[in-house]
């Protein structure tokens, strides 16, 4: 376990999955991350790579060969190397190995850098291609937060608020059919906020693209506490709370998303897939601002 600490926050991170496990406010003593209950959802904020969501029938074709990969890829179950660490930042590094090569044929370098400054934890994700003629990938975050922040509170008092008024449709995931529908449903119409209700997630996550806002905030009617989630260089946003869980709200910035139910193309044709030629790199970032 890696710990970062300043006058505002104490953060715990795990090399497995380069995962944030706790963000504790030192003023109020609250852990703002999901509690990682293994009987409900044992993660709290794994990094997703080299896919986001699920492959059609669990398989994909890369460079003419068929590969199998579980939902959200192998990063979340991989042990990252710690290459830098002090009180305020840590750099995790993941690269190919014999196991990843059975699922994904490319050599790659993925760096995840966490930096703590005042009341903000920033995560920078960087993919580098130094060894392949080209490679393809998706990438994303899956941070899940405590909602409500404190036990005894009612999640129905919590709402999410975008930076700007948004007119958005949500893509529809059909877990039983193993993918995303081409259908959408109206979600927001020139609005900034919506209340957290379990019924919103009866199918699966809310998935939106083409949003204008650079942040979305989790707020409550009963106090001035808030969590502001900033994001940069992502093309989709997933918002998820398991209808069977309670106490959890995930805000997920994604490059790409799960395959469509009728998808038959190759990996390079997936929604949001990025290509890196040799010598190129890709960066995206998100940050978590805690207002106690």
């Amino acid at each position: 376990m890696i710990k970062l600490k300043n006058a505002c926050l104490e953060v715990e991170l795990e090399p497995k999955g380069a995962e944030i496990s706790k963000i504790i406010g030192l003023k109020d003593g609250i852990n703002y991350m999901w509690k990682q209950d293994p009987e409900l959802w044992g993660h709290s904020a794994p990094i997703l790579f080299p896919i986001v969501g699920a492959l059609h029938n669990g398989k994909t074709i890369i460079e003419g060969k068929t590969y199998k990969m579980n939902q959200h890829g192998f990063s979340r179950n991989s042990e990252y190397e710690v290459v830098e660490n002090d009180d305020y930042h840590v750099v995790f590094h993941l690269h190919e190995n014999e196991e990843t090569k059975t699922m994904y044929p490319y050599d790659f370098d993925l760096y995840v850098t966490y930096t703590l400054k005042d009341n903000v934890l920033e995560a920078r994700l960087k993919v580098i291609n130094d060894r392949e003629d080209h490679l393809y990938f998706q990438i994303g975050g899956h941070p899940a937060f405590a909602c409500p922040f404190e036990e005894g509170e009612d999640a129905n008092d919590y709402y999410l608020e975008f930076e700007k008024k948004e007119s958005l449709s949500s893509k529809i995931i059909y877990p039983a059919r193993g993918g995303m529908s081409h259908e959408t449903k109206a979600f927001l119409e020139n609005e900034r906020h919506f209340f957290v209700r379990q019924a919103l997630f009866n199918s699966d996550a809310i998935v939106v693209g083409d949003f204008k806002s650079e942040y979305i905030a989790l707020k409550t009617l009963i106090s001035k506490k808030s969590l502001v989630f900033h994001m940069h260089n992502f093309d989709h946003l997933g918002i998820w709370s398991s209808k069977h869980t309670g106490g959890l709200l995930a805000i997920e910035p994604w490059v790409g998303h799960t395959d469509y139910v009728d998808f038959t193309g190759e990996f390079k044709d997936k929604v949001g897939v990025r290509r890196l030629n040799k010598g190129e790199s890709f960066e995206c970032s998100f940050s978590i601002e805690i207002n106690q």
Side-chain angles (χ1 to χ4, degrees):
M1 179 192 298
I2 302 294
K3 289 189 177 183
L4 309 180
K5 187 176 181 180
N6 63 12
C8 298
L9 301 173
E10 181 175 312
V11 176
E12 294 183 6
L13 306 115
E14 298 291 345
K16 185 177 181 179
E19 183 164 18
I20 309 164
S21 56
K22 292 182 180 179
I23 301 178
I24 300 170
L26 295 182
K27 179 180 177 181
D28 58 19
I30 294 173
N31 174 22
Y32 285 82
M33 299 301 297
W34 163 244
K35 60 187 177 182
Q36 294 181 314
D37 185 337
E39 293 187 5
L40 299 173
W41 191 59
H43 290 281
S44 54
I47 299 300
L48 314 182
F49 179 88
I51 60 171
V52 171
L55 298 172
H56 183 58
N57 293 327
K59 300 177 183 179
T60 191
I61 299 172
I62 307 176
E63 311 293 348
K65 184 177 178 181
T66 299
Y67 294 86
K68 296 180 180 180
M69 206 182 318
N70 291 333
Q71 182 170 335
H72 292 318
F74 52 73
S75 165
R76 63 178 176 166
N77 295 311
S78 295
E79 196 76 19
Y80 282 68
E81 177 189 8
V82 178
V83 294
E84 291 182 24
N85 182 211
D86 59 30
D87 289 344
Y88 307 114
H89 97 292
V90 62
V91 181
F92 294 111
H93 176 222
L94 182 67
H95 60 83
E96 78 289 338
N97 56 45
E98 289 184 6
E99 184 178 6
T100 68
K101 286 280 193 170
T102 66
M103 298 175 274
Y104 180 72
Y106 300 117
D107 292 345
F108 66 91
D109 290 284
L110 170 56
Y111 291 90
V112 181
T113 302
Y114 290 103
T115 303
L116 183 59
K117 183 177 181 181
D118 299 326
N119 64 329
V120 177
L121 177 68
E122 180 189 57
R124 288 195 165 273
L125 286 54
K126 185 174 185 178
V127 184
I128 300 174
N129 176 18
D130 278 339
R131 287 163 285 156
E132 299 282 359
D133 287 338
H134 62 265
L135 62 82
Y136 298 95
F137 67 94
Q138 294 174 318
I139 193 167
H142 200 309
F145 304 106
C147 181
F149 296 145
E150 298 187 79
E151 290 187 14
E153 294 181 348
D154 189 341
N156 288 323
D157 291 323
Y158 281 70
Y159 61 96
L160 283 165
E161 184 176 80
F162 282 92
E163 173 195 14
K164 301 174 181 179
K165 288 185 176 180
E166 301 279 2
S167 294
L168 299 171
S169 294
S170 174
K171 297 185 176 184
I172 301 171
I173 299 175
Y174 288 116
R177 295 175 61 191
M180 185 85 72
S181 170
H182 291 283
E183 303 171 53
T184 61
K185 59 182 176 181
F187 178 51
L188 295 179
E189 185 58 47
N190 198 33
E191 299 169 275
R192 288 186 64 198
H193 74 269
F194 64 96
F195 279 86
V196 176
R197 298 289 184 266
Q198 287 293 316
L200 292 171
F201 310 102
N202 281 345
S203 294
D204 203 281
I206 296 166
V207 180
V208 297
D210 300 321
F211 49 88
K212 299 175 292 185
S213 298
E214 294 186 358
Y215 67 77
I216 185 170
L218 178 59
K219 297 183 175 182
T220 173
L221 297 174
I222 58 178
S223 77
K224 293 184 178 180
K225 297 181 189 296
S226 68
L227 183 154
V228 185
F229 189 83
H230 304 261
M231 48 204 162
H232 175 68
N233 210 21
F234 296 96
D235 52 39
H236 285 83
L237 176 66
I239 303 169
W240 173 71
S241 179
S242 169
K243 62 182 178 179
H244 304 298
T245 299
L248 173 161
L249 184 73
I251 304 174
E252 308 171 39
W254 295 340
V255 177
H257 62 59
T258 195
D259 283 348
Y260 287 107
V261 292
D262 59 352
F263 180 73
T264 58
E266 296 191 11
F267 188 87
K268 64 182 178 63
D269 302 318
K270 285 166 55 64
V271 170
V273 158
R274 301 301 171 97
R275 173 183 169 127
L276 290 182
N277 294 322
K278 191 172 184 178
E280 294 181 336
S281 63
F282 172 85
E283 290 190 54
C284 54
S285 64
F286 63 85
S287 59
I288 302 162
E289 173 189 337
I290 302 295
N291 298 303
Q292 302 172 61

